[in-house]
């Protein structure tokens, strides 16, 4: 075996990591993750019981069903961002709207934790754009022969079409030789 042939002896973890990185790069991965992380506290806190010593705090409210629906929808939208990235704008806008609705419905948006994560995930989804595949470059065409010398003197005329499409603006003279009109320059 030669040290140059590394592809066939790669460890399966590095192959899996590279495959995951390629999968993650073709979709709004972080947007989906943040949206799902935002849905979990929104749907968890209304049904949670916290124990502080011998005292039990029940967070359940009358809007428990609404919180559960909002949380499940946010997790579903996060999965949609991952597996159907073509609808990422719709999913992002829906996640932002659900995050805003969770403020009055679901214990201040899952104690602001779920609200912030869902809002961030929705914004990332709306702003994500798929990358373009690198274009195959064609070999450069041989350069045309340019004239040996081109003079830009004011009194010399150039042949017609010598600088066609060059896009070079006319240079203005500034400094002690510049024309001054009434003590002010043209922009003043």
């Amino acid at each position: 075996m030669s040290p140059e042939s590394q592809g066939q002896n790669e460890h399966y973890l590095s192959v899996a990591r590279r495959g995951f990185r390629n999968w993650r790069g073709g979709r709004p991965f972080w947007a989906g993750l943040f949206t799902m992380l935002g849905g979990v506290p929104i749907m968890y806190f209304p049904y949670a019981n916290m124990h502080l010593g011998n005292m039990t705090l029940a967070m359940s409210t009358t809007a428990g069903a609404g919180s559960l629906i909002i949380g499940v929808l946010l997790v579903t939208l996060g999965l949609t961002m991952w597996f159907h990235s073509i609808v990422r704008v719709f999913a992002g806008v829906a996640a932002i709207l659900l995050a805003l609705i969770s403020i009055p419905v679901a214990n201040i948006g899952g104690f602001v934790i779920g609200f912030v994560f869902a809002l961030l995930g929705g914004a990332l989804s709306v702003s994500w754009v798929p990358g373009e595949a690198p274009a195959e470059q064609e070999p450069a065409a041989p350069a045309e022969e340019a004239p040996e010398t081109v003079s830009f003197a004011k009194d010399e005329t150039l042949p017609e079409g010598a600088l066609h499409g060059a896009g070079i603006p006319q240079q203005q003279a500034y400094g002690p030789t510049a024309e001054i009109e009434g003590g002010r320059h043209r922009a003043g």
Side-chain angles (χ1 to χ4, degrees), residues 123-185:
L124 285 174
S125 178
V126 169
S127 66
W128 185 83
V129 177
E132 296 178 9
E136 305 231 354
Q137 295 182 358
E138 297 178 12
E144 296 180 16
E145 292 184 22
E148 299 228 357
T149 334
V150 177
S151 175
F152 292 104
K154 288 184 180 180
D155 54 340
E156 184 177 324
T157 59
L158 296 173
E160 188 171 333
L163 293 177
H164 179 69
I168 301 172
Q170 181 69 26
Q171 298 292 321
Q172 300 289 329
Y174 293 104
T177 60
E179 245 182 69
I180 299 175
E181 298 174 7
R184 302 174 68 199
H185 58 78

Side-chain angles (χ1 to χ4, degrees), residues 12-76:
Y12 67 92
L13 288 177
S14 58
V15 172
R17 191 185 89 234
R18 190 176 317 114
F20 175 70
R21 185 174 54 210
N22 290 338
W23 177 82
R24 185 184 69 198
R27 62 200 76 248
F29 175 78
W30 294 107
L33 183 68
F34 284 144
T35 303
M36 286 188 282
L37 286 176
V40 170
I42 289 174
M43 70 177 153
Y44 173 75
F45 284 135
Y47 295 102
N49 289 328
M50 295 174 55
H51 299 283
L52 298 173
N54 292 333
M55 185 173 59
T56 302
L57 287 171
M59 298 293 180
S60 59
T61 62
T62 57
S67 301
L68 183 64
I69 290 171
I70 290 173
V72 167
L73 284 174
L74 284 172
V75 170
T76 304

Side-chain angles (χ1 to χ4, degrees), residues 1 3-4 6 42 46 56 79 81 86 96-97 103 116 131 143 156 163 183 185:
M1 293 233 156
E4 290 86 25
Q6 298 171 358
I42 289 174
T56 302
L79 290 171
M81 291 173 198
I86 193 80
I96 290 171
L97 290 175
I103 291 174
V116 169
E156 184 177 324
L163 293 177
H185 58 78

